[in-house]
Amino acid sequence: MKVPFWVIDTNVLVSAALTSGGNCDRIMRAAVEGRLRLAWSSPILTEYREVLSRSKFKFPPQVVSSLLQIFAERDQVTPRSLDLKLPDPDDEIILATAMASPDQILITGNAAHFPSNLCLPVRILNPIQAVGLLEHL
């Protein structure tokens, strides 16, 4: 059986770290268990690290490092160049990475930031939809 290859938006990772047992945490646990692979790019990993290190979250550096170890070297992709403008320009690297990933699936808690008419062929899922999909794997 093929293991799905997804990209997660930064808000999914932060939510997983903040809410044990929630949908985002369930997605991350599935990645740790090998039921899915998390595609990432160097700019995304930089964003993850920067956001998780913000003082408002109060995550110790060792917790941030531990969270980022989930992203395996073999799952790194090179983002595609985009010729479009998303509502939040900071999200363009997330979409560009999803476009370069094998399954072209992006999990986000902010679907409004990724209008489907601009994001095709990437499939945009919220965490509830993603967990539903995982339950069928």
Side-chain angles (χ1 to χ4, degrees):
M1 180 176 197
K2 181 181 175 284
V3 176
F5 209 130
W6 297 350
V7 172
I8 61 166
D9 196 356
T10 309
N11 59 66
V12 173
L13 180 59
V14 171
S15 182
L18 291 172
T19 311
S20 180
N23 287 320
C24 295
D25 182 51
R26 292 172 68 188
I27 293 164
M28 299 307 293
R29 289 180 190 275
V32 169
E33 295 164 359
R35 293 188 301 133
L36 72 99
R37 294 171 62 185
L38 297 174
W40 59 278
S41 62
S42 184
I44 285 180
L45 204 61
T46 299
E47 178 177 328
Y48 291 162
R49 182 177 308 281
E50 187 275 320
V51 171
L52 289 169
S53 298
R54 290 179 183 166
S55 60
K56 70 179 181 178
F57 295 124
K58 299 181 173 104
F59 295 130
Q62 61 271 29
V63 169
V64 173
S65 293
S66 177
L67 284 167
L68 297 179
Q69 287 178 4
I70 293 169
F71 299 91
E73 188 72 34
R74 69 186 173 121
D75 296 333
Q76 183 177 9
V77 298
T78 301
R80 292 203 179 146
S81 60
L82 299 179
D83 189 26
L84 57 87
K85 298 293 179 216
L86 292 177
D88 181 352
D90 290 342
D91 288 330
E92 291 170 9
I93 192 62
I94 305 285
L95 179 61
T97 301
M99 284 187 171
S101 69
D103 292 336
Q104 296 184 319
I105 293 178
L106 170 61
I107 312 305
T108 182
N110 294 324
H113 288 195
F114 298 94
S116 58
N117 62 317
L118 295 177
C119 297
L120 292 173
V122 173
R123 185 173 171 198
I124 310 298
L125 301 176
N126 65 41
I128 294 170
Q129 292 168 318
V131 167
L133 205 55
L134 280 174
E135 290 173 357
H136 294 97
L137 298 178

